[in-house]
Amino acid sequence: MSGDLSDRTIAQIRAIQQTIKRRILFIDLETSGLHPERSQLLEIGAIYADEEIVEPFLANVPLSVIRYEVSQAAIDRNKWNLRNSFTHELTEFMLIDFRDWLSDKKSFVLIGKNVVDFDFRWMKHYLPEVFNSEYSKGKNRGFIDTGQLKYFFAQERKESPHSAMLDILCDVEYLWEILK
């Protein structure tokens, strides 16, 4: 479920959390498209940090399953339906694991590239009981969109190879560089 973080990454996350003085949740999603109503969630990566812990989360649909289902779609587009696919079932399990992982995480600032326009919108769609209620009641403290920071700072965020955890590690590095 979670991966190992380097000592350097943990130190950077702790420094960011202490600078912001709030609990933080770095999040990144990988999907099959832009719209949650028509596309599929394929990977969830997150790192939560508060005064005591730094805890990563990673879950994904195996690439072999995606490749198989894409090949089936190429063979017969009329019979294949993403919403009834094995990928969809695996996504449901990922979401259950993520919701359970988040259950003891209290009020946090969401951080990520395009976190408001993309990741938060997807999470509101898939986990409305967590993201709609928490945000509408004001329990969470906002967003830091690392994709927008380039307009306020002279520093560009380096791109990563579209892997949820690698994207998060780029966000950590970028935000740490700006805040130090």
Side-chain angles (χ1 to χ4, degrees), residues 86-141:
F86 192 54
T87 299
H88 184 71
E89 290 180 38
L90 291 173
T91 296
E92 296 298 319
F93 289 118
M94 279 192 323
L95 288 164
I96 291 167
D97 287 346
F98 187 58
R99 185 181 59 231
D100 291 348
W101 180 80
L102 275 177
S103 66
D104 65 341
K105 315 293 187 274
K106 306 278 188 280
S107 175
F108 45 77
V109 175
L110 275 177
I111 303 173
K113 184 177 180 190
N114 302 318
V115 71
V116 177
D117 293 334
F118 192 78
D119 303 282
F120 182 66
R121 185 170 48 92
W122 276 74
M123 286 292 94
K124 278 183 10 183
H125 176 81
Y126 277 109
L127 295 175
E129 70 280 6
V130 174
F131 285 88
N132 280 347
S133 63
E134 290 293 307
Y135 277 83
S136 65
K137 292 177 184 171
K139 292 182 181 176
N140 287 303
R141 303 288 183 242

Side-chain angles (χ1 to χ4, degrees), residues 4-21:
D4 293 329
L5 299 174
S6 71
D7 291 342
R8 179 172 190 246
T9 299
I10 291 170
Q12 289 172 332
I13 292 169
R14 287 200 181 287
I16 292 167
Q17 190 275 323
Q18 290 167 359
T19 301
I20 295 171
K21 296 185 181 359

